[in-house]
């Protein structure tokens, strides 16, 4: 291999090595945006049914589900979420589609 070819290969390897952390960070940022605050929908708790582990929420658009605003009943992934809210609370929440319906997987007070 000529000296010029060796330098070119070394430069190419260095460029690839420098790009890996940037691409990894971009993937992390994309994942956070996909599963972070961008996926939280605004809503108001209408009813908490601890016996059935369900919440009735009047909500705005739920973008990750391509769902318009409406009032509906959600199951909760973890019944501990029911202790965080009461009827009338303004919240931000994440919902996902499951085999058995729509499930609230995270909830927090609206700011």
């Amino acid at each position: 291999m000529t000296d010029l070819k060796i330098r070119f290969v070394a430069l190419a390897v260095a460029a690839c090595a420098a790009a890996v952390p940037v691409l990894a960070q971009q993937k992390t940022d994309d994942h956070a945006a996909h599963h972070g605050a961008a996926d939280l929908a605004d809503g108001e708790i209408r009813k908490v049914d601890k016996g059935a582990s369900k919440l009735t929420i009047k909500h705005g658009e739920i973008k990750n589900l391509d769902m318009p605003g409406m009032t509906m009943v959600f199951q909760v992934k973890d019944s501990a979420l029911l202790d965080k809210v009461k009827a009338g609370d303004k919240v931000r929440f994440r919902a996902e589609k499951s085999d058995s319906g729509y499930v609230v997987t995270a909830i927090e007070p609206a700011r």
Side-chain angles (χ1 to χ4, degrees):
M1 223 183 234
T2 67
D3 190 41
L4 183 60
K5 286 182 182 178
I6 292 171
R7 286 183 183 177
F8 177 76
V9 169
L11 182 60
V13 169
C16 289
V20 170
V22 172
L23 294 173
Q25 182 62 45
Q26 180 179 354
K27 185 175 180 180
T28 299
D29 292 345
D30 291 347
H31 179 78
H34 179 70
H35 291 291
D39 283 349
L40 294 180
D42 294 315
E44 181 181 333
I45 303 298
R46 295 298 186 151
K47 181 180 178 183
V48 178
D49 185 345
K50 290 186 179 185
S53 292
K54 294 183 180 182
L55 290 171
T56 303
I57 304 175
K58 178 181 179 184
H59 62 81
E61 179 183 13
I62 303 177
K63 291 181 182 181
N64 65 301
L65 297 175
D66 195 27
M67 181 183 293
M70 65 182 80
T71 300
M72 62 184 289
V73 177
F74 293 89
Q75 298 170 348
V76 293
K77 183 174 183 177
D78 179 358
S79 60
L81 295 175
L82 300 170
D83 295 328
K84 293 182 171 187
V85 295
K86 64 183 180 314
D89 286 354
K90 305 279 189 195
V91 296
R92 295 190 36 84
F93 69 100
R94 174 165 175 71
E96 298 176 3
K97 176 83 170 120
S98 75
D99 292 337
S100 59
Y102 294 101
V103 178
V104 172
T105 59
I107 197 161
E108 64 185 41
R111 298 174 201 199

